[in-house]
Amino acid sequence: MCGIVGYVGSEPALPILIGGLRRLEYRGYDSAGVAYLEGGGLSVVKRKGRLQRLEEALQRQYGEDLSGGSVRIGIAHTRWATHGAPSDENSHPHLSASGRIAVVHNGIIENYMELRASLSGLGYAFVSETDTEVVAHLIERHYDADAKKDLLSAVLRTMGEIEGSYALGVLCADDPGTFVAARKDSPLVVGLGTNGNFIASDIPAILSRTREVLILEDREAACLRADGVRVVDALGRPVDRAPMHVDWDVEAAEKGGYEHFMMKEMHEEPRAVRDTLAPRLRDGAIRLDAITIDAADAAAISKVQIIACGTAYHAGVVAKYAIERLARIPVEVDVASEFRYRDPLVDARTLAVVISQSGETLDTMAAMREAKRRGARTLAIVNVVGSSIAREADDVLYTMAGPEIAVASTKAYNTQLAAVYLLAFRLAALRGLLDEAACAGWSERLLALPEALDRILADRSVLQRFAAEHFNARSVFFIGRGLDYALSMEGSLKLKEISYIHSEAYAGGELKHGTIALIEEGTLVVCPLTQAPLLEKMIGNIREVKARGAVVLGIATDSCAKVDEVCDAVFRIPDVDPLLAPVLAVTPMQLFAYYVAVNKGCDVDKPRNLAKSVTVE
Ligand code: G6P
């Protein structure tokens, strides 16, 4: 997500901080800022847009190389917007009420609405729309109430009140020699240097300065001074951890030590899905505060029209199953380039749901405008805050995948599905089809998904072995029924995008109407088998392809024993409600595609002829 760098030491701090942010630029961001102490005063400079703008503002005061003045301590941030559009006000660092405490934050404070309301009640004024600002105020409250005026204790107390994910850097004007860092579910490392110490959300930011790092664990905090670092647990007890020596080069460090961005991004799926779901599933209720559709609006919807391209379109196909099943509204799904030219039946009773990772895909944008022109209400499921589609849609439901760099989309799809379920449950609740108890049940099942994804990723060597045996396949078929068919489309796309192997997704029941003619000795068939009510039918389909010589890889839940006897290999995913299974079952398919492409020696992150964002027709 966003980037954090911090430094305290004997060298000019600003070149280190800005240089560190530059190392994180590859991840994408929309604004940048820095807070530092000089002559007893705390200064904050922040700018929307490129890092260059921040640097220019600082250069006017500190010279071309930023080494003027006497700044020796500071925290810096590049923001990828989540709460509130990209703007100077929403960029970090954020200040406490008195302006004495500055905070940079990565992650999402899930209970920030409650905290913001109670702080507002106490007279605190907010200058941004971010979730982070509550953290600055809370730290200051605890700091002011503490006779010892200990910043670390104030941060630990605040950690006890905030829920969600965070990596924090905190600077206080009262102590020019110290700053504090803390983390939970968002990465943060401490760098140990000879002329000072550092924090960074990602190792590349500090790699040119030190290779000795302490990895902070969840709910730990650190107090950094020029001459040392003290790490404590949530109760303030000292943590004794040996530093790790990083021998990665910058390129490997950018990929978090993984060989490719695609693998790194798949490993971010549990975090991304949690960040998309958890803030909206509080106390068993589904809260989509940013969506203005009320019960009367929901009752009036006669049709949901989904519009998207590529992977986002495949998320839309899953959405059709979910919305129709839960909210009982007819759903049509179109690829954007078809929708805009087919004279579609859309009117004021249509809810057009537009799905896009980038929020900039030209066909999707044009199709959304067409739907609007015909009177539809528009709702966008988008990953990039403030993107064109997000700005033009009537309502926006953001996915919290964070920046995706690999051209082949992975974590964005899992989070699009998470968002689609939230929307389906919300529409169902508004239409009186889902009571509180049912909502609570679904909420619990949704919140279990990130942990299940963790296990799938940990078990990936099974897929690595299978891919090593089959990467020479000329053609691969993905076959499924129901949601497994919707999912197969994405599995097939992933494989063809990065491995250049011809592949097709087919509905199991459709096999005998054509595709079965292509099955011969050794043909590879991948079957997601997560839809219990359709399992017998799928087993029948598998027998049909096996009888013609196919090799079958099944993807099935733990308790689905039946499929062992018909498949050549089975990858197991944790038991999950069939409706939610695509969020989990796509990951083995992404991993399989990845390992096939690696075995073939393909350029995994930059497949030929493809672009990450398609802004031309
Ligand atoms: C391109 C990308 C795909 C993506 C599609 C739609 O083709 O390579 O990964 O799914 O565009 O992009 P969007 O940003 O609208 O989701």
Side-chain angles (χ1 to χ4, degrees):
M1 302 276 267
C2 316
I4 289 179
V5 191
Y7 172 72
V8 55
S10 56
E11 294 184 45
L14 291 173
I16 294 174
L17 296 171
I18 299 301
L21 292 185
R22 180 137 290 132
R23 284 287 181 204
L24 302 180
E25 269 193 302
Y26 71 95
R27 297 149 45 86
Y29 63 99
D30 50 58
S31 51
V34 58
Y36 53 89
L37 297 175
E38 191 182 30
L42 173 64
S43 305
V44 172
V45 184
K46 47 194 196 175
R47 291 288 183 278
K48 178 184 165 187
R50 307 303 300 165
L51 185 55
Q52 183 76 26
R53 291 194 62 219
L54 173 67
E55 193 170 10
E56 281 163 9
L58 292 166
Q59 278 168 338
R60 284 194 277 280
Q61 202 174 342
Y62 296 99
E64 186 73 12
D65 66 357
L66 302 177
S67 67
S70 58
V71 182
R72 297 293 181 267
I73 181 169
I75 51 177
H77 191 265
T78 41
R79 176 171 188 253
W80 161 277
T82 55
H83 295 76
S87 68
D88 288 353
E89 296 73 37
N90 288 336
S91 24
H92 298 216
H94 289 284
L95 285 173
S96 62
S98 73
R100 272 158 44 244
I101 290 175
V103 173
V104 290
H105 165 225
N106 286 1
I108 289 175
I109 307 298
E110 289 164 14
N111 57 339
Y112 91 101
M113 297 274 269
E114 292 94 312
L115 292 170
R116 192 174 165 126
S118 73
L119 286 164
S120 298
L122 292 167
Y124 284 86
F126 286 82
V127 296
S128 78
E129 301 156 273
T130 65
D131 51 338
T132 305
E133 211 181 337
V134 297
V135 180
H137 291 318
L138 286 173
I139 293 174
E140 184 167 271
R141 265 179 83 71
H142 292 302
Y143 182 80
D144 285 346
D146 177 10
K148 291 198 205 127
K149 296 280 175 268
D150 181 33
L151 185 62
L152 180 61
S153 310
V155 171
L156 290 174
R157 290 219 165 84
T158 302
M159 287 162 72
E161 288 172 317
I162 53 178
E163 291 167 20
S165 56
Y166 50 83
L168 295 169
V170 185
L171 191 60
C172 177
D174 297 349
D175 186 353
T178 308
F179 74 95
V180 170
R183 70 154 278 194
K184 180 184 161 270
D185 293 332
S186 224
L188 195 69
V189 299
V190 171
L192 307 173
T194 37
N195 296 327
N197 296 304
F198 310 82
I199 57 166
S201 54
D202 296 83
I203 289 174
I206 53 173
L207 208 54
S208 63
R209 302 279 169 176
T210 180
R211 289 182 170 272
E212 303 305 309
V213 303
L214 282 171
I215 311 281
L216 282 190
E217 300 287 346
D218 275 352
R219 297 177 201 277
E220 286 179 352
C223 194
L224 289 95
R225 305 184 59 80
D227 56 0
V229 175
R230 187 157 61 94
V231 179
V232 297
D233 68 11
L235 299 174
R237 295 174 302 205
V239 171
D240 191 16
R241 180 166 309 129
M244 166 185 125
H245 180 77
V246 178
D247 48 19
W248 304 333
D249 58 21
V250 169
E251 208 194 329
E254 285 181 349
K255 294 170 188 155
Y258 296 104
E259 211 180 321
H260 299 98
F261 281 112
M262 185 178 171
M263 188 51 107
K264 176 178 184 241
E265 287 161 10
M266 286 187 277
H267 278 80
E268 288 168 358
E269 287 172 3
R271 195 271 313 144
V273 169
R274 189 182 310 113
D275 281 352
T276 303
L277 291 172
R280 289 140 174 173
L281 295 172
R282 303 200 47 77
D283 307 320
I286 295 157
R287 281 196 0 198
L288 300 182
D289 296 322
I291 307 286
T292 55
I293 298 170
D294 61 18
D297 299 330
I301 298 170
S302 64
K303 175 172 118 175
V304 172
Q305 171 67 59
I306 297 175
I307 305 164
C309 299
T311 290
Y313 167 73
H314 295 150
V317 181
V318 172
K320 174 180 169 69
Y321 286 83
I323 295 172
E324 288 189 342
R325 192 176 303 175
L326 292 160
R328 310 306 294 163
I329 308 172
V331 181
E332 259 189 87
V333 197
D334 277 81
V335 288
S337 53
E338 287 299 310
F339 175 86
R340 54 188 290 208
Y341 298 120
R342 79 168 165 85
D343 195 12
L345 294 172
V346 166
D347 60 24
R349 295 188 63 199
T350 305
L351 174 66
V353 176
V354 178
I355 309 177
S356 173
Q357 185 283 125
S358 63
E360 301 295 348
T361 304
L362 185 111
D363 275 325
T364 310
M365 179 79 185
M368 180 173 86
R369 288 184 180 151
E370 181 60 23
K372 254 193 169 177
R373 199 180 63 78
R374 291 171 185 252
R377 177 178 188 141
T378 54
L379 185 154
I381 295 178
V382 174
N383 194 37
V384 180
V385 175
S387 54
S388 306
I389 290 173
R391 286 199 310 271
E392 285 194 25
D394 297 320
D395 285 300
V396 187
L397 181 52
Y398 284 112
T399 51
M400 299 292 178
E404 221 181 34
I405 292 171
V407 167
S409 191
T410 52
K411 60 177 177 168
Y413 177 79
N414 303 66
T415 58
Q416 282 160 355
L417 296 190
V420 151
Y421 289 119
L422 290 173
L423 178 64
F425 289 125
R426 183 79 188 126
L427 288 175
L430 285 170
R431 287 165 68 90
L433 299 170
L434 203 64
D435 62 19
E436 266 181 38
C439 267
W442 282 113
S443 167
E444 200 175 309
R445 272 164 259 163
L446 284 165
L447 289 172
L449 294 172
E451 205 174 309
L453 281 168
D454 276 328
R455 193 194 97 185
I456 291 169
L457 289 159
D459 291 349
R460 64 188 183 281
S461 59
V462 178
L463 294 159
Q464 188 173 13
R465 272 196 300 280
F466 191 83
E469 286 162 19
H470 296 281
F471 70 92
N472 277 324
R474 276 194 307 127
S475 204
V476 179
F477 294 92
F478 287 75
I479 296 170
R481 284 174 181 255
L483 279 164
D484 282 337
Y485 169 50
L487 176 64
S488 293
M489 294 179 179
E490 179 57 12
S492 167
L493 175 68
K494 225 42 30 187
L495 185 72
K496 70 178 81 147
E497 273 181 319
I498 60 171
S499 75
Y500 317 140
I501 294 175
H502 167 256
S503 121
E504 278 181 52
Y506 248 77
E510 202 50 19
L511 204 55
K512 56 185 164 300
H513 298 293
T515 309
I516 201 150
L518 300 174
I519 306 288
E520 53 191 23
E521 200 59 36
T523 304
L524 188 56
V525 175
V526 179
C527 297
L529 298 159
T530 67
Q531 301 299 302
L534 300 167
L535 196 59
E536 291 303 334
K537 303 249 178 254
M538 268 310 294
I539 288 176
N541 291 138
I542 293 175
R543 289 193 201 285
E544 284 159 15
V545 295
K546 290 282 309 166
R548 286 153 183 89
V551 175
V552 176
L553 169 66
I555 295 166
T557 52
D558 284 335
S559 55
C560 177
K562 277 187 193 166
V563 297
D564 283 323
E565 58 191 70
V566 283
C567 296
D568 294 275
V570 179
F571 182 83
R572 294 286 171 187
I573 63 170
D575 285 332
V576 58
D577 189 286
L579 185 64
L580 307 182
V583 184
L584 302 185
V586 73
T587 301
M589 295 188 174
Q590 297 164 345
L591 287 163
F592 174 66
Y594 172 84
Y595 284 122
V596 168
V598 168
N599 273 290
K600 288 191 69 181
C602 300
D603 187 349
V604 173
D605 284 335
K606 292 200 188 83
R608 68 187 182 203
N609 307 340
L610 300 179
K612 183 73 190 158
S613 182
V614 181
T615 51
V616 291
E617 188 167 355

